[in-house]
């Protein structure tokens, strides 16, 4: 049996580990951060393709992930996945709605101008939204139940794993390119959020093109996540007070009910920005290496589809060939 190391314990690493272990493979997750310490724990975590490429392969991954999360929401309420309705605000003349083709007609409805900010168009959609403080620990537990081992270990040299493993899957997020040493195209994209008490709202609002800055209000089971920022190349993990004040102002203008709510916590994460996803074999290594990173702001949204793609690559299945469209 192949010994597989998955490097990274965020939503991509855990999903890949689960998928491979579910098919009977010997899997160990190597990570120097616990799942709740990763960028995935900070993510907005709503099924919506943000800062991700458009391609047939990504469309297939969107559909797979939507299907898997919908099933989890219906069958495993303790996982922290809920189907929530909300508004997507559009401020461009020709918004990309290709992702909406994966939703039923009742889950993607055109909104009238009266329900939107002046001059905007938009849709009311129903999609999975994760409370990551519940979902990530649950997913780790599911992995452990399948026999996945976890080692708290920093990996700086993938080739050095060759003595103990036959395959390494690099799901290290923003660090993926530097870890492999052959990909300088990964750009950290700083995202800052504020978590506040929920005043009783149940619907989300996402306003990516807000002229004042990226704005979203995402109600979870334990809080409301207010965001955000999209700062390419910025690497500070310290929350900036001025940025926080601007986030609170934008979100209150969009959803007045969140104004003045008690702040529970604040956080910053670095998204793995890349023009195209990298899900492919990496040649010339001391063991077989598969790259699985570059998801931008769509890690949760593409997580199960990524896991299925990695499994297909390992098995040499024909459907893995579609992944070539997502690599450089």
């Amino acid at each position: 049996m192949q010994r597989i190391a998955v490097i990274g314990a965020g939503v991509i690493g855990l999903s890949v580990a689960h998928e491979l272990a579910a098919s009977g493979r010997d899997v160990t997750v190597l990570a120097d951060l616990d799942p709740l310490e990763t960028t995935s724990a900070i993510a907005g975590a709503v099924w919506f393709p943000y800062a991700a490429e458009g391609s047939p392969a990504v469309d297939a991954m969107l559909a797979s992930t939507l299907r898997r999360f919908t099933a989890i929401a219906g069958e495993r309420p303790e996982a922290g996945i809920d189907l929530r309705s909300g508004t997507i605000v559009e401020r461009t003349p020709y918004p990309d709605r290709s992702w909406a083709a994966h939703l039923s007609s009742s889950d993607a409805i055109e909104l009238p101008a009266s329900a939107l900010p002046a001059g905007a168009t938009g849709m009311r959609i129903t999609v999975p939204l994760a409370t990551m403080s519940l979902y990530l620990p649950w997913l780790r537990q599911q992995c452990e139940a399948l026999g996945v081992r976890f080692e708290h270990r920093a990996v700086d040299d993938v080739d050095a794993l060759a003595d103990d493993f036959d395959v390494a899957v690099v799901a290290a997020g923003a660090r993926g390119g530097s870890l492999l040493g052959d990909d300088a195209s990964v750009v950290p994209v700083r995202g800052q959020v504020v978590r506040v008490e929920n005043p009783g709202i149940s619907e989300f609002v996402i306003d990516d093109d807000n002229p004042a800055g990226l704005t979203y209000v995402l109600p979870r089971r334990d809080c409301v996540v207010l965001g955000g920022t999209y700062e390419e190349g910025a690497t500070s993990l310290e929350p900036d007070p001025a940025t926080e004040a601007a986030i609170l102002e934008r979100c209150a203008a969009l959803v007045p009910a969140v104004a003045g709510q008690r702040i529970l916590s604040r956080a910053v994460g670095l998204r793995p920005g890349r023009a195209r996803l990298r899900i492919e074999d990496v040649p010339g290594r001391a063991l077989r290496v598969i790259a699985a990173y570059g998801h931008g702001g769509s890690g949760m949204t593409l997580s199960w589809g990524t896991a299925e793609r990695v499994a297909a690559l390992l098995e040499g299945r024909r459907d893995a060939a579609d992944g070539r469209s997502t690599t450089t």
Side-chain angles (χ1 to χ4, degrees):
M1 182 181 294
Q2 286 183 320
R3 301 163 300 168
I4 301 173
V6 176
I7 304 170
V11 71
I12 299 298
L14 293 179
S15 302
V16 169
H18 185 283
E19 189 74 9
L20 300 182
S23 65
R25 298 177 183 273
D26 183 298
V27 181
T28 302
V29 173
L30 308 177
D32 59 348
L33 297 176
D34 291 331
L36 289 177
E37 298 173 323
T38 66
T39 297
S40 296
I42 301 166
V46 61
W47 184 93
F48 181 71
Y50 178 69
E53 68 174 276
S55 69
V58 168
D59 284 343
M61 292 158 67
L62 283 170
S64 293
T65 305
L66 177 63
R67 172 178 52 80
R68 298 280 288 267
F69 274 132
T70 300
I72 293 170
E75 300 166 7
R76 303 298 298 269
E78 73 277 14
I81 303 294
D82 298 300
L83 296 180
R84 289 193 183 270
S85 297
T87 299
I88 302 296
V89 179
E90 303 161 334
R91 297 179 186 268
T92 58
Y94 304 102
D96 178 11
R97 291 184 175 179
S98 58
W99 52 270
H102 302 294
L103 303 174
S104 69
S105 57
S106 60
D107 288 337
I109 302 170
E110 182 87 23
L111 285 173
S114 60
L116 295 159
T121 59
M123 303 177 70
R124 186 173 188 271
I125 64 173
T126 301
V127 294
L129 187 150
T131 298
M132 294 303 258
S133 60
L134 298 176
Y135 179 62
L136 291 173
W138 177 85
L139 185 53
R140 173 171 176 156
Q141 291 168 4
Q142 299 306 301
C143 288
E144 291 174 332
L146 291 169
V148 175
R149 294 176 295 278
F150 285 79
E151 292 186 16
H152 192 274
R153 174 178 174 184
V155 177
D156 297 312
D157 182 358
V158 176
D159 290 327
L161 300 176
D163 290 340
D164 299 316
F165 299 97
D166 304 298
V167 181
V169 180
V170 178
R175 189 168 166 257
S178 61
L179 180 57
L180 288 174
D182 69 343
D183 182 5
S185 66
V186 183
V187 177
V189 181
R190 185 178 183 275
Q192 181 168 332
V193 300
V194 190
R195 304 183 185 106
V196 303
E197 286 188 338
N198 192 335
I201 64 173
S202 60
E203 296 208 357
F204 62 85
V205 182
I206 298 174
D207 189 359
D208 287 349
D209 299 316
N210 189 317
L214 171 64
T215 308
Y216 51 83
V217 177
L218 306 173
R220 294 181 176 176
R221 296 185 191 180
D222 57 359
C223 67
V224 180
V225 179
L226 307 180
T229 64
Y230 191 85
E231 303 170 76
E232 293 188 9
T235 58
S236 172
L237 294 176
E238 289 297 318
D240 177 69
T243 299
E244 178 177 299
I247 289 172
L248 292 172
E249 182 178 356
R250 293 198 303 273
C251 289
L254 195 64
V255 182
V258 302
Q261 294 301 310
R262 185 168 71 93
I263 294 175
L264 301 176
S265 63
R266 42 183 63 87
V268 175
L270 303 181
R271 305 177 184 93
R274 196 173 188 271
R276 302 180 74 83
L277 274 172
R278 190 181 190 191
I279 304 176
E280 65 180 356
D281 274 287
V282 181
R285 313 305 298 229
L287 71 169
R288 185 177 182 185
V289 174
I290 296 176
Y293 61 83
H295 293 75
S298 297
M300 179 269 198
T301 303
L302 298 173
S303 57
W304 287 113
T306 298
E308 292 174 6
R309 181 73 64 193
V310 170
L313 281 169
L314 272 176
E315 296 166 10
R317 296 204 311 263
R318 183 182 299 273
D319 53 332
D322 294 338
R324 296 187 192 121
S325 67
T326 67
T327 63
T328 54

